[in-house]
Amino acid sequence: MKIDLNAMGYDELMAHGDAVLEAIKKRTFQEGFRAAKQVHRKLTKINAEKSAQARRDEIVEQAKADVAMFCSDLFAPDVEFIVNRKKRTVVALLRGCMSGNVQERGIAKAAPSDCFNVHIGKAIALRRALGSAVPDEYLNAPQPTEVRVGDVLSWTAFKDEVYVVTKKSGIIYDFTRIKSGVKYSGLSYKNLLDSATIIDDSREEVGGE
């Protein structure tokens, strides 16, 4: 219904104006509340991702320390690790110090949906070779949420789909021309994890690992 303001008296206009202002206040509050909820959801997601990545980092360091501690024991059997990244497996072979014969073996295999990490794999395989319990955090480590230099990425490029890659120099690369399975070199990939998956975050050649 169209309101004819010209037909209203002064008091009627004032009352009508108050109602309009009150409606605007309510609408502004509602919109602000919705916006605040959206921001809260985004922050919650970011914090959860940070927590997952931080926890994975802790587990990787724990796995490295686990293996290093065993290997530093003078009385421990010699251990040989066989890593097959194509099959996403790590095998630990325990050999006799004198004979060199394989006494025990253990194997770790990453699930198809899991990111492969050689350090976690070594810790699992070693414990299985020793007949020790495998900590739950090794078996159920959170998936990485942050792409880092040295991570191996996988993606599927569809026809006419371009993933833009930029450097500080302003050079633009066509993401579809880069072979899936290459290591992340530090280029600024736009919406990287929206298009790609981290399939290996071992980063053995980065930072002396």
Side-chain angles (χ1 to χ4, degrees):
M1 181 180 80
K2 186 176 180 180
I3 300 173
D4 186 0
L5 297 177
N6 293 323
M8 292 184 183
Y10 178 80
D11 292 339
E12 195 176 5
L13 279 171
M14 290 297 292
H16 189 73
D18 289 341
V20 169
L21 288 174
E22 188 63 29
I24 291 173
K25 283 184 191 177
K26 288 181 180 179
R27 180 65 60 83
T28 301
F29 175 79
Q30 290 170 351
E31 294 297 329
F33 181 71
R34 279 195 287 267
K37 284 184 70 176
Q38 289 177 351
V39 171
H40 178 71
R41 281 196 293 267
K42 289 180 181 178
L43 288 174
T44 300
K45 181 180 178 182
I46 291 171
N47 288 334
E49 289 179 347
K50 284 183 179 177
S51 297
Q53 184 65 63
R55 182 61 185 138
R56 184 175 180 86
D57 292 342
E58 290 174 356
I59 292 170
V60 170
E61 292 305 313
Q62 180 181 330
K64 289 180 185 178
D66 211 358
V67 173
M69 184 172 63
F70 175 84
C71 293
S72 65
D73 188 341
L74 295 175
F75 300 99
D78 292 334
V79 59
E80 177 189 353
F81 292 108
I82 301 173
V83 179
N84 188 322
R85 281 185 164 78
K86 187 174 182 180
K87 293 183 178 179
R88 297 159 57 81
T89 60
V90 178
V91 176
L93 302 177
L94 299 184
R95 298 181 180 275
C97 296
M98 300 297 292
S99 67
N101 295 329
V102 175
Q103 297 175 333
E104 300 291 346
R105 71 182 66 213
I107 185 169
K109 181 176 177 61
S113 59
D114 286 346
C115 176
F116 177 78
N117 185 282
V118 71
H119 308 294
I120 296 175
K122 285 181 177 180
I124 293 173
L126 178 58
R127 282 179 168 269
R128 285 177 173 164
L130 293 168
S132 302
V134 178
D136 183 67
E137 55 262 34
Y138 289 168
L139 300 173
N140 298 290
Q143 299 305 298
T145 59
E146 179 182 332
V147 182
R148 295 171 179 173
V149 172
D151 287 348
V152 180
L153 309 176
S154 175
W155 60 83
T156 301
F158 299 96
K159 185 179 180 182
D160 300 326
E161 186 170 7
V162 175
Y163 302 129
V164 176
V165 184
T166 60
K167 294 177 70 176
K168 290 182 180 178
S169 61
I171 300 173
I172 298 177
Y173 297 83
D174 185 345
F175 200 11
T176 59
R177 294 180 185 175
I178 304 174
K179 185 179 179 182
S180 178
V182 300
K183 290 186 178 181
Y184 176 55
S185 62
L187 296 176
S188 178
Y189 290 70
K190 181 180 179 183
N191 301 325
L192 183 56
L193 285 184
D194 291 341
S195 307
T197 302
I198 305 171
I199 59 174
D200 186 336
D201 67 347
S202 303
R203 298 189 295 276
E204 289 182 286
E205 297 83 9
V206 178
E209 293 187 2

